[in-house]
Amino acid sequence: MKKISKITINEKWCKSCEICVQFCPKKVYDMGRFYPVIARPEDCIACKLCEKLCPDFAITVTSPDKAESNKK
Amino acid sequence: MDYLYYLRKEKMPHIWCDGCGHGIILKSILRVIDKLGWEKDDIAMVSGIGCSSRTPGYVDFNTLHTTHGRAIAFATGLKIVKPNLHVIVVSGDGDATAIGGNHFIHAARRNIDLTVIIYNNYIYGMTGGQASPTTPIGKKASTAPYGNPDAPFDISRLAQAAGAAYVARSTVYHVGKTDRYIEQAFLKKGFSVVEVMTPCPTSYGRRNKEGNGVEMMMFQKKNSVGVERAQKMSEEELQGKIITGVFVDKEQNNYLQRYDEVIDKAKQINQ
Ligand SMILES: Cc1ncc(C[n+]2csc(CCOP(=O)(O)OP(=O)(O)O)c2C)c(N)n1
Ligand code: SF4
Ligand code: SF4
Ligand code: SF4
């Protein structure tokens, strides 16, 4: 099975600016009603651009080799 | 990396508006500090007043939130008394080049070993959008409802002319460059300036119909020109462009070295 990145969004800090949605090179996110939705996590290349550009410290991306969820 | 390790988590979420670029600059600063392995207690972050100047309130370093325009004066005193501290000043275009303009140019002339990171959003964000010394000609501000008649400062060129040892400009969109320049500035022994262009959708973007944070960052992406390429372009071609890159990177004696020399000389004479 293809390993995928672990992405978390802290909705308590997110201000819905959509920077992550618009600048992700792989279009992993869709904008939801209030917060971004991680619509295509399997497309994530773990470049962490969304994490770096989120002004609100609301996104964490853990690359597949480090993602806990894959250690099954 | 774990950004939260460096934050005062109880102060979050921060006050900056949605789409404001200030948080992106703070993240760059924290990434560089993490990469350099600096201890939190060895860092002092100093600011004046403004949205940008709220930065020290969120970080778990030694922090000093001072009066409008005076951050560099406080930071100078701090650096002289505690030369081993990494002293970082964060400032807005208004704080650094309007009310604090004299402190800025004279600290550059002195070449005191500080890094000043200027969050340039072309406006006084905090107080609702008065024109600042970097507001471009013709742009609207609450104090210039029909368009600003004043010519703007180019902060990087100003720092260069005043004698800074390191000067670079980036934008919040160009996050890799911002990291690189901040790292070079932090490692510089002398007065170093990194000017980062950052959107203020609330007090500038809206009034000038430049859109939200995303659209203002798209503008940065499309309209930035590296300094080498800019040298081959005409004034006309450069209209409305943001010139990014390293403008100055030179070695010269800094203020603390020269001050020590004065002390040595005085001791010899008075022996
Ligand atoms: C002595 C003094 N004069 C004026 C003010 C009002 N004031 C607060 S912030 C500010 C301008 C901030 O603009 P800038 O430094 O560009 O930061 P930004 O909010 O855009 O990040 C002004 C004029 C003040 N606090 N103190
Ligand atoms: S890490 Fe890169 S590819 Fe993955 S979601 Fe973020 S911006 Fe998109
Ligand atoms: S960039 Fe951050 S604050 Fe903006 S929408 Fe995405 S998660 Fe929310
Ligand atoms: S007013 Fe402008 S500078 Fe201040 S937080 Fe809002 S967007 Fe940022």
Side-chain angles (χ1 to χ4, degrees), chain A residues 12-13 15-19 22-23 48-60, chain B residues 3-4 7 12-14 16 18-20 23-24 26-27 30-31 172-173 175 214 217-218:
Chain A
K12 289 208 175 87
W13 290 4
K15 295 188 187 134
S16 320
C17 68
E18 293 190 42
I19 287 174
Q22 300 299 331
F23 289 98
K48 300 204 179 194
L49 187 63
C50 56
E51 188 185 281
K52 289 180 182 173
L53 292 183
C54 169
D56 288 276
F57 295 84
I59 300 185
T60 322
Chain B
Y3 295 96
L4 301 194
L7 292 182
M12 297 290 288
H14 55 56
W16 298 317
D18 64 289
C20 175
I24 305 177
L26 171 57
K27 273 188 155 168
L30 297 182
R31 266 196 305 282
V172 292
Y173 170 75
V175 69
V214 168
M217 283 170 69
M218 287 289 183

Side-chain angles (χ1 to χ4, degrees), chain B residues 22 49-52 68 92-95 99 121 123-127:
Chain B
H22 289 359
I49 302 292
C51 296
S52 35
H68 197 22
D93 43 292
D95 192 66
I99 191 167
N121 57 11
I123 204 82
Y124 289 179
M126 176 164 267
T127 42

Side-chain angles (χ1 to χ4, degrees), chain B residues 12-251:
Chain B
M12 297 290 288
H14 55 56
I15 57 148
W16 298 317
C17 308
D18 64 289
C20 175
H22 289 359
I24 305 177
I25 305 176
L26 171 57
K27 273 188 155 168
S28 280
I29 296 171
L30 297 182
R31 266 196 305 282
V32 175
I33 286 171
D34 192 72
K35 183 179 171 199
L36 296 176
W38 286 359
E39 294 293 330
K40 293 196 268 192
D41 287 346
D42 294 340
I43 301 165
M45 190 181 266
V46 186
S47 72
I49 302 292
C51 296
S52 35
S53 297
R54 294 293 290 255
T55 307
Y58 301 111
V59 293
D60 188 22
F61 307 138
N62 301 290
T63 58
L64 205 51
H65 190 189
T66 75
T67 50
H68 197 22
R70 270 59 186 164
I72 290 174
F74 284 87
T76 299
L78 201 54
K79 185 69 189 181
I80 290 170
V81 176
K82 295 214 175 270
N84 292 328
L85 269 184
H86 302 295
V87 183
I88 305 165
V89 174
V90 290
S91 188
D93 43 292
D95 192 66
T97 63
I99 191 167
N102 254 327
H103 292 293
F104 181 64
I105 54 174
H106 291 284
R109 173 170 77 86
R110 256 183 177 154
N111 197 28
I112 178 98
D113 184 20
L114 306 172
T115 297
V116 183
I117 298 176
I118 299 187
Y119 302 32
N120 184 356
N121 57 11
Y122 302 123
I123 204 82
Y124 289 179
M126 176 164 267
T127 42
Q130 294 80 4
S132 92
T134 63
T135 307
I137 294 172
K139 291 290 181 181
K140 289 188 179 137
S142 68
T143 47
Y146 302 101
N148 171 39
D150 292 332
F153 270 146
D154 177 328
I155 295 183
S156 290
R157 298 283 183 210
L158 182 66
Q160 176 175 15
Y166 181 91
V167 183
R169 175 160 49 217
S170 183
T171 81
V172 292
Y173 170 75
H174 297 91
V175 69
K177 276 190 178 178
T178 307
D179 284 21
R180 205 156 63 240
Y181 300 161
I182 289 177
E183 182 178 349
Q184 289 170 357
F186 280 176
L187 295 174
K188 188 83 202 171
K189 283 274 167 235
F191 192 75
S192 52
V193 179
V194 182
E195 179 188 2
V196 189
M197 310 311 295
T198 168
C200 169
T202 305
S203 296
Y204 183 82
R206 196 160 43 186
R207 188 174 273 117
N208 284 293
K209 300 197 170 38
E210 292 186 10
N212 59 15
V214 168
E215 286 162 294
M216 293 178 82
M217 283 170 69
M218 287 289 183
F219 179 89
Q220 296 182 333
K221 180 181 176 183
K222 291 197 187 102
N223 291 283
S224 296
V225 180
V227 61
E228 291 82 16
R229 192 153 75 86
Q231 273 159 4
K232 298 188 193 103
M233 291 167 68
S234 69
E235 282 279 317
E236 268 161 30
E237 289 171 318
L238 285 172
Q239 276 298 316
K241 301 285 184 209
I242 302 166
I243 303 175
T244 61
V246 179
F247 299 99
V248 183
D249 188 356
K250 62 182 181 185
E251 299 303 325

